[in-house]
Amino acid sequence: MATIQIRDIPDEEYEALRAAASAEGKSLQSYMREQAAFLARVARKRSVFERLRAELAERNEAGVTADSVLADLDDIRGPWPGEENTAHRG
């Protein structure tokens, strides 16, 4: 496991973190470990979304839009209940 050392935390922020840890019945080290793990999960998710967004932007050159996706879904699933005898919605 890696070790992280953070220096020069202002006293006010340190006390806020210490109080938050205490309120949860945890040591400051345990509390900070959980907070670091949470931040890492957020960073991983953000990275995945950014990669997906970039890939979708590249693929969108084919003209994929929300309307085209909805029209394709309508074609796949067929008419909505009660619309069986009406013209296609798209």
Side-chain angles (χ1 to χ4, degrees):
M1 280 196 184
T3 299
I4 298 173
Q5 183 177 32
I6 303 172
R7 296 181 184 181
D8 302 323
I9 297 175
D11 291 339
E12 187 174 294
E13 279 82 11
Y14 172 81
E15 287 302 322
L17 292 168
R18 190 194 58 71
S22 179
E24 292 188 22
K26 299 175 183 171
S27 68
L28 182 56
Q29 180 178 348
S30 173
Y31 180 80
M32 293 305 297
R33 185 180 313 115
E34 289 177 3
Q35 295 303 309
F38 172 77
L39 290 172
R41 287 191 303 273
V42 169
R44 278 194 303 269
K45 288 176 184 177
R46 183 176 294 127
S47 175
V48 168
F49 282 121
E50 287 172 1
R51 282 195 318 256
L52 287 172
R53 190 174 288 123
E55 185 174 329
L56 288 172
E58 288 176 18
R59 290 183 182 190
N60 198 28
E61 293 173 5
V64 176
T65 65
D67 288 337
S68 69
V69 170
L70 292 173
D72 288 345
L73 287 172
D74 281 345
D75 289 342
I76 291 168
R77 86 179 141 226
W80 288 83
E83 292 184 354
E84 293 86 1
N85 297 324
T86 63
H88 180 66
R89 293 175 0 116

